[in-house]
Amino acid sequence: MGKVLAITNQKGGVGKTTTSINLAASLAKTRRKVMLIDLDPQGNATMGSGINKEAVKATSYQVLIGLNSIEDAIVHAEGGYDLVPANSDLSGAEIELIGLERRERRLRAALEPVRDRYDYLLIDCPPALNLLTVNALVAAQAVMIPMQCEYYALEGLSALLNTIRKVRESLNPQLQIEGLLRTMYDPRNNLSNEVSAQLSRHFGDKLYRTIIPRNIRLAEAPSFGKPVISYDMESKGAQAYLALAGEILRREQAA
């Protein structure tokens, strides 16, 4: 049974979608079978995977609402992983889900038929603590939190941790924090170093040792519809995400 990992942070611009795409591709590079579920109405994970979000026959919206099975929505991405795409249709799901039975568990139920086909199922969540994010947290076994090492990132982290706690108490008792990932890191910035030290003191081994640096290749790759390891394997960004995949696999083996 594959591990379901929600990649979430309600703060935008922290490298959440970049992490989702490049971690999926890096895990696929290690011969793991990976599915990436785009649960953001912006569809950036879909476009960054080289898929035309307006040309797909089914998306995560149809899957959540129950119009299509998840098998109907799966497309194969160039990065070597399967993708459940998203587009602006998903923005209407928030309202439509309210009237549906088991509205917080729709994604979990949809994933059940395919979980044993994959080693990892990654969910790229929207930058908000809404019903789509709750669906991801209920479906997931664990949460990865990408964050920049800046003051406002720490402010938002407490709200996210509170949401995770509430979901664990009422909807998904197995939900764990897999780890916090430092992204867009610039070691020349004193604040980055201070926040990084605070995270290390507070979260200990929940903080990934791998750090994702600021890297121009990471920023360029989505415009070509490719993960960075397909765009420039030798770049610091590509090497960092390959290292993250390796760290995740080592943690699994040690558990």
Side-chain angles (χ1 to χ4, degrees):
M1 192 71 77
K3 181 166 188 174
V4 184
L5 188 61
I7 300 173
T8 187
N9 192 323
Q10 79 274 20
K11 188 176 186 299
V14 298
K16 177 179 54 60
T17 297
T18 297
T19 295
S20 299
I21 294 168
N22 290 295
L23 179 57
S26 296
L27 287 168
K29 196 76 172 174
T30 69
R31 301 185 183 276
R32 268 61 180 186
K33 292 182 179 179
V34 183
M35 172 189 277
L36 173 58
I37 301 104
D38 191 347
L39 212 62
D40 187 342
Q42 296 176 87
N44 289 336
T46 300
M47 294 187 297
S49 298
I51 304 298
N52 181 347
K53 65 181 181 179
E54 303 304 335
V56 292
K57 62 179 182 179
T59 70
S60 53
Y61 164 74
Q62 281 89 358
V63 172
L64 282 173
I65 299 303
L67 298 176
N68 290 92
S69 70
I70 201 157
E71 289 98 332
D72 295 335
I74 293 171
V75 294
H76 191 69
E78 181 184 332
Y81 52 90
D82 284 347
L83 173 77
V84 176
N87 56 30
S88 57
D89 290 347
L90 190 58
S91 58
E94 180 78 10
I95 296 171
E96 292 183 54
L97 282 170
I98 292 173
L100 297 178
E101 290 183 9
R102 299 171 65 81
R103 60 189 181 186
E104 300 95 348
R105 303 178 188 273
R106 307 286 292 190
L107 182 60
R108 181 172 189 151
L111 290 176
E112 281 304 314
V114 298
R115 271 190 63 185
D116 59 356
R117 301 182 197 173
Y118 298 94
D119 298 302
Y120 289 92
L121 299 92
L122 310 180
I123 308 171
D124 183 35
C125 300
L129 298 178
N130 57 20
L131 198 47
L132 293 174
T133 300
V134 170
N135 260 271
L137 295 177
V138 172
Q141 294 159 281
V143 182
M144 176 186 287
I145 306 171
M147 59 183 296
Q148 288 180 263
C149 289
E150 58 180 32
Y151 174 73
Y152 290 116
L154 286 176
E155 287 284 290
L157 182 59
S158 60
L160 177 57
L161 294 176
N162 190 45
T163 298
I164 292 170
R165 179 182 58 79
K166 288 180 178 177
V167 169
R168 186 188 298 127
E169 289 174 354
S170 59
L171 295 165
N172 184 5
Q174 284 75 46
L175 185 65
Q176 301 293 326
I177 294 175
E178 178 80 5
L180 284 83
L181 176 68
R182 290 163 286 185
T183 60
M184 304 180 193
Y185 192 80
D186 184 352
R188 298 168 298 179
N189 186 315
N190 287 336
L191 180 60
S192 291
N193 292 320
E194 289 171 13
V195 172
S196 179
Q198 285 185 47
L199 290 172
S200 183
R201 285 193 298 271
H202 190 71
F203 291 98
D205 60 3
K206 290 292 185 183
L207 185 67
Y208 290 108
R209 293 182 180 179
T210 304
I211 297 175
I212 310 301
R214 284 195 179 276
N215 180 249
I216 189 65
R217 294 304 196 202
L218 274 177
E220 290 173 347
S223 65
F224 292 89
K226 294 180 178 181
V228 71
I229 63 171
S230 300
Y231 178 60
D232 185 353
M233 172 73 91
E234 300 305 316
S235 67
K236 289 183 178 179
Q239 293 302 309
Y241 277 109
L242 287 167
L244 176 64
E247 183 175 354
I248 288 170
L249 294 175
R250 287 192 298 274
R251 284 189 179 192
E252 288 288 320
Q253 290 165 0

